[in-house]
Amino acid sequence: MRLPALSAALLLVCVAAFVGLRTAGGQASDTSAGFVAPVAMDLPDYLRPATDPAFGTSIVRISKPGPLGNGVVCGPKYCSHRYSSAQAWNADQTLLLLDNGCNGMCFLDGHTYEALFWRKRGGECEWHPRNAELMICVQDRAVSTWAPRTNHEDVLFTSADYHDLQFGPSKGNPSRDGSRIAVRAVRKDGADVVFAYDLNQRQKFPDIDLSQVPGKTSSCTISPLGTSILCSPNLIDGTEQRVIFAVDGTLLQRWTDHHRPGHGDITLDEDGSEVFVGISKSGPDRYHIIKRRLSDGKVTSLTAFGEAEHASTRALNRPGWAFLSYGGDPDEILANPTWAPYAREIVALRLDGSGAVRRIGQTRNVPFDYWSETHASPSPDGSQVIWSSNWGVPGGPVYEFVTRLDWSEQHNPKEVVANGQP
């Protein structure tokens, strides 16, 4: 049963009760770990910094329908970064990429968010995690590096033995050092395969025939250390499974439970092991945020039941944190105090199992379609988080926002532990 809509007076009472220390100028708030009611806020003007009244964080709206300058044009419905697990900023954060709903690959200044230039190109490209000038691209029969500023491309691999090469597709990332990727391809005999490729050594690893596991694979990615390949989902009778191969083709793990986890990202745990962090859709931790170790499948629940939609670990230089996009109905969350107390909110969650969080901002994003999902993704150092919102208008324009965070010792507020921890 859902509660009636909260009145304006009740909103103010809830905010006063739950917001503890309000921090200034763009750091995440040290709030109570409980539910924080939605706080009304006018749509920020384009490129004019504003303050989230719930948490005191600095927000900048970085998109609007129509021309942004220098040939960059946003579509009328949405104009956004690619996905939560895709890195939106380059390695030194001087460039920020919007490529959904824009008139090509649209590059903004990574700090002022002014439009700089755009490029038309096919295939799939992801930022190199170490070289700020380069993207790693996969298209047709080739793997290459590409410099968006100069439009210069170096082809590293091409072969007549493969076609329809893909970087994932859509959910592929390079290893943390940028040396290896996983490439999906169709071999000339028609087999659907994946193989690891080392960009530095220009070395192709053995083909892994994906027909050896049941179901149809939708995407594959290399692990952070570049030693294994995670493929998902393998859809079998409605169950989205996961398989993990060593780069030599050895089958290491097969996770047969449904979506455990999904909508997530891979990172390194505090002990150096590789883990997949995301939302579980199976028992015993259904709709918890979990981490699952790639080496042996061990699962650790990190939150209580909640309405999280996506997890990102793209803050490569701030290990130990996942950035979570929460949807949900605030009235429903308030009515269930044992749930994770976040509704239409972005939080950063420590991965050490403590349940400690930093609350980043309220999205004011109401459910409508895929393109209006929040898909929060942090910059490499975690100082900025990009996210999408229709700002309370179902079917209205979807805008892009950046929230700035201060992680310094002086301004870093005490971490808080959420209610309802497992």
Side-chain angles (χ1 to χ4, degrees):
M1 178 177 179
R2 295 176 183 269
L3 296 177
L6 294 172
S7 67
L10 181 56
L11 288 180
L12 293 176
V13 171
C14 288
V15 172
F18 286 113
V19 176
L21 173 64
R22 176 71 58 80
T23 58
Q27 61 257 21
S29 177
D30 175 17
T31 67
S32 162
F35 173 75
V36 176
V39 183
M41 180 182 180
D42 291 338
L43 176 68
D45 292 334
Y46 173 63
L47 295 187
R48 295 290 299 272
T51 300
D52 185 321
F55 300 122
T57 44
S58 175
I59 305 172
V60 181
R61 177 160 67 95
I62 67 169
S63 74
K64 62 178 181 178
L68 302 187
N70 292 319
V72 173
V73 180
C74 278
K77 295 183 178 181
Y78 57 87
C79 189
S80 62
H81 64 294
R82 190 173 66 73
Y83 189 61
S84 52
S85 62
Q87 182 61 68
W89 279 268
N90 65 343
D92 65 4
Q93 299 179 201
T94 55
L95 291 177
L96 174 61
L97 173 62
L98 303 183
D99 57 356
N100 294 329
C102 209
N103 62 325
M105 299 180 71
C106 297
F107 295 88
L108 313 182
D109 184 289
H111 297 285
T112 69
Y113 318 119
E114 295 179 355
L116 297 179
F117 61 93
W118 63 283
R119 298 281 185 250
K120 279 284 190 186
R121 66 162 296 139
E124 298 170 281
C125 298
E126 299 292 342
W127 286 115
H128 193 291
R130 298 273 179 91
N131 189 328
E133 296 303 313
L134 295 181
M135 301 193 82
I136 302 167
C137 300
V138 178
Q139 181 180 13
D140 297 334
R141 297 181 182 270
V143 176
S144 62
T145 56
W146 173 58
R149 292 184 193 269
T150 63
N151 212 19
H152 177 76
E153 185 168 16
D154 287 319
V155 176
L156 307 180
F157 170 83
T158 186
S159 172
D161 294 334
Y162 303 89
H163 61 90
D164 292 341
L165 270 61
Q166 294 178 303
F167 198 165
S170 299
K171 296 183 180 181
N173 276 310
S175 58
R176 290 179 71 90
D177 63 2
S179 66
R180 292 182 178 181
I181 64 172
V183 180
R184 288 283 304 280
V186 179
R187 202 166 52 202
K188 63 181 180 181
D189 62 1
D192 187 15
V193 301
V194 63
F195 56 82
Y197 184 78
D198 191 301
L199 285 73
N200 295 342
Q201 303 297 323
R202 301 198 177 194
Q203 175 190 359
K204 176 189 171 298
F205 285 78
D207 290 350
I208 302 171
D209 191 336
L210 293 173
S211 67
Q212 67 180 284
V213 292
K216 182 168 179 61
T217 300
S218 66
S219 63
C220 297
T221 187
I222 201 79
S223 68
L225 299 178
T227 57
S228 60
I229 295 173
L230 172 71
C231 291
S232 59
N234 281 66
L235 191 60
I236 304 171
D237 297 328
T239 300
E240 296 183 1
Q241 302 185 6
R242 305 288 186 267
V243 290
I244 301 169
F245 301 96
V247 293
D248 66 3
T250 304
L251 180 61
L252 301 177
Q253 286 280 304
R254 184 179 167 202
W255 301 342
T256 59
D257 32 9
H258 176 62
H259 228 287
R260 191 167 182 251
H263 296 294
D265 204 353
I266 312 178
T267 189
L268 296 179
D269 213 347
E270 57 187 348
D271 62 359
S273 59
E274 298 171 312
V275 291
F276 186 19
V277 180
I279 297 97
S280 174
K281 292 187 180 179
S282 295
D285 41 39
R286 190 167 180 261
Y287 292 111
H288 293 217
I289 299 296
I290 65 171
K291 64 180 179 182
R292 191 162 190 175
R293 200 156 57 198
L294 268 59
S295 62
D296 59 7
K298 179 185 176 183
V299 173
T300 302
S301 177
L302 301 175
T303 69
F305 182 103
E307 297 285 354
E309 296 178 335
H310 296 279
S312 177
T313 58
R314 290 301 93 197
L316 300 180
N317 301 328
R318 186 162 296 283
W321 293 87
F323 290 71
L324 309 177
S325 304
Y326 275 85
D329 183 327
D331 295 340
E332 185 177 28
I333 303 304
L334 179 60
N336 290 277
T338 62
W339 293 10
Y342 316 114
R344 300 173 191 172
E345 188 174 330
I346 302 166
V347 304
L349 170 72
R350 284 197 69 93
L351 299 179
D352 60 2
S354 66
V357 298
R358 294 192 67 189
R359 302 182 81 154
I360 294 169
Q362 294 185 341
T363 66
R364 299 161 183 86
N365 191 35
V366 295
F368 182 70
D369 61 9
Y370 172 82
W371 297 111
S372 62
E373 292 179 4
T374 297
H375 292 163
S377 182
S379 62
D381 68 357
S383 68
Q384 305 179 81
V385 184
I386 190 170
W387 47 280
S388 305
S389 175
N390 56 24
W391 213 255
V393 182
V398 177
Y399 305 100
E400 281 292 273
F401 300 86
V402 172
T403 297
R404 292 180 176 273
L405 303 177
D406 186 344
W407 291 86
S408 66
E409 185 71 23
Q410 179 180 0
H411 295 101
N412 187 10
K414 181 181 68 176
E415 298 160 14
V416 295
V417 178
N419 295 345
Q421 286 300 306

